[in-house]
């Protein structure tokens, strides 16, 4: 308990928190099912959890916070569930545009946005414009229509295009070239990736960027996830020894 308090104190001082935390927000459907509610009700509560945890991350000094909100595979779901999720994105993006400057949080959306409804694309552009003006903000990334393989495929295409145009030679292509062509260009890799809901898999999330991430799995369903659960994940993160292949 004493140790925990010391950690809390450090945390409030902004020390020793991971620079980039990513979360696979999973378990909304099961949370709703347990209560006899439609899956969309789980997503609505999950969206509230996202707001709470994003604010908490900013408060404890986490610079980058990335969440998986909708995968390239999630289009397989029933149309009414997809529509409910799109409505939640609309609602959140409107709110983000209104509050980003005051909170100094840059909200960014990562993924293949070209197939999203046009009005959502316009809301994302609005957020980008505001985010571009912020000075040294905390960054909250919402991954929508995101797939790690799709992201790498798009990066390869963009690089191949540059080679074809003569702007790059194949020998010029380094790991950094690939990193710079991902949606996360300019961001540090995630230090800690959390997956709630009891599933122990990555489901196509941040495949390239997670090369040396620490994973944390918990059975808690995302709508039940609390700031204390994030504290527990960060505590566990501090017990890990990251060697990056060294000794
Ligand atoms: C995560 O919750 C949200 C999305 C994938 C959009 P799920 O909807 O996958 O919840 P479960 O896994 O069915 O419980
Ligand atoms: C991963 O959850 C995607 C998001 C949280 C957005 P899924 O519920 O889609 O993953 P699987 O199908 O269980 O692997
Ligand atoms: Mg799921």
């Amino acid at each position: 308990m004493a140790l925990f308090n010391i950690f809390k104190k450090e945390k409030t001082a902004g020390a020793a928190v991971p620079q980039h935390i990513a979360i696979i927000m999973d378990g909304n459907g099961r949370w709703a099912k347990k209560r006899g509610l439609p899956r969309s009700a789980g997503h609505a509560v999950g969206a509230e959890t996202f707001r709470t945890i994003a604010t908490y991350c900013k408060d404890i000094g986490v610079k980058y916070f990335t969440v998986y909100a909708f995968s390239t595979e999630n289009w397989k779901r029933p149309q009414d569930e997809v529509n409910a999720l799109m409505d939640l994105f609309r609602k959140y993006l409107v709110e983000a545009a209104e509050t980003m400057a005051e909170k100094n949080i840059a909200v960014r959306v990562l993924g293949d946005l070209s197939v999203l409804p046009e009005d959502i694309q316009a809301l994302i552009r609005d957020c980008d414009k505001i985010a571009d003006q912020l000075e040294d903000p905390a960054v909250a990334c919402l991954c929508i229509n995101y797939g790690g393989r799709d992201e790498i495929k798009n990066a390869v295409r963009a690089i191949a295009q540059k080679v074809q145009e003569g702007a790059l030679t194949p020998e010029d292509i380094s790991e950094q070239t690939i990193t710079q062509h991902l949606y996360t260009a300019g961001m540090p890799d995630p230090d800690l990736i959390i997956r709630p809901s009891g599933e122990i898999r990555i489901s196509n999330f941040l495949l390239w960027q997670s090369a040396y991430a620490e994973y944390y799995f918990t059975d808690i369903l995302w709508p039940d996830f609390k700031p204390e659960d994030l504290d527990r994940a960060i505590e566990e993160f501090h017990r890990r020894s990251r060697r990056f292949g060294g000794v």
Side-chain angles (χ1 to χ4, degrees):
M1 194 61 203
L3 254 182
F4 185 69
N5 284 335
I6 290 165
F7 169 71
K8 276 229 151 186
K9 228 182 246 162
E10 272 186 8
K11 196 161 48 87
T12 355
V17 289
Q19 188 187 18
H20 184 176
I21 295 180
I23 302 189
I24 300 171
M25 303 191 291
D26 199 14
N28 295 349
R30 279 162 283 173
W31 184 93
K33 193 172 176 202
K34 263 181 27 187
R35 289 163 177 77
L37 297 169
R39 294 177 59 85
S40 57
H43 295 313
V45 178
E48 288 308 318
T49 303
F50 163 70
R51 286 174 173 86
T52 305
I53 300 298
T55 305
Y56 185 66
C57 278
K58 163 89 186 346
D59 290 347
I60 63 174
V62 175
K63 182 83 176 160
Y64 297 90
F65 176 58
T66 301
V67 294
Y68 204 7
F70 193 91
S71 74
T72 46
E73 289 74 36
N74 287 148
W75 298 106
K76 291 179 202 155
R77 296 187 177 205
Q79 193 58 46
D80 64 336
E81 181 173 348
V82 171
N83 291 343
L85 286 161
M86 293 299 148
D87 278 343
L88 287 170
F89 299 146
R90 284 187 180 91
K91 195 171 157 215
Y92 177 71
L93 291 166
V94 168
E95 181 188 311
E98 285 167 0
T99 58
M100 249 188 315
E102 173 201 329
K103 294 184 178 166
N104 204 31
I105 301 183
V107 174
R108 301 286 187 181
V109 181
L110 311 183
D112 175 2
L113 310 181
S114 67
V115 297
L116 296 180
E118 184 46 53
D119 68 307
I120 295 188
Q121 293 187 43
L123 290 171
I124 294 169
R125 285 193 294 272
D126 291 345
C127 285
D128 277 336
K129 270 187 223 143
I130 300 167
D132 289 343
Q133 305 295 319
L134 300 178
E135 215 161 295
D136 196 28
V139 179
C141 298
L142 206 54
C143 296
I144 302 180
N145 193 29
Y146 175 89
R149 287 186 168 184
D150 189 56
E151 178 183 41
I152 293 169
K153 176 213 75 188
N154 289 335
V156 170
R157 267 194 193 164
I159 294 166
Q161 183 73 36
K162 287 182 185 171
V163 172
Q164 194 178 39
E165 289 163 0
L168 269 184
T169 68
E171 295 72 30
D172 289 334
I173 300 170
S174 63
E175 290 188 7
Q176 213 187 352
T177 314
I178 296 171
T179 299
Q180 285 164 351
H181 285 81
L182 300 175
Y183 303 130
T184 49
M187 288 170 56
D189 286 342
D191 300 294
L192 170 63
I193 300 183
I194 299 171
R195 183 166 193 158
S197 93
E199 308 298 352
I200 317 248
R201 54 175 172 262
I202 57 177
S203 301
N204 206 8
F205 189 45
L206 301 178
L207 297 183
W208 176 273
Q209 299 89 336
S210 63
Y212 269 103
E214 295 296 327
Y215 280 95
Y216 179 86
F217 297 99
T218 167
D219 288 341
I220 294 163
L221 303 173
W222 176 246
D224 289 328
F225 196 92
K226 299 279 180 299
E228 301 83 80
D229 299 306
L230 191 77
D231 287 345
R232 270 188 274 278
I234 295 174
E235 278 178 71
E236 165 71 23
F237 174 81
H238 283 293
R239 285 193 291 270
R240 306 272 176 93
S241 162
R242 301 182 83 190
R243 289 185 289 278
F244 300 98
V247 287

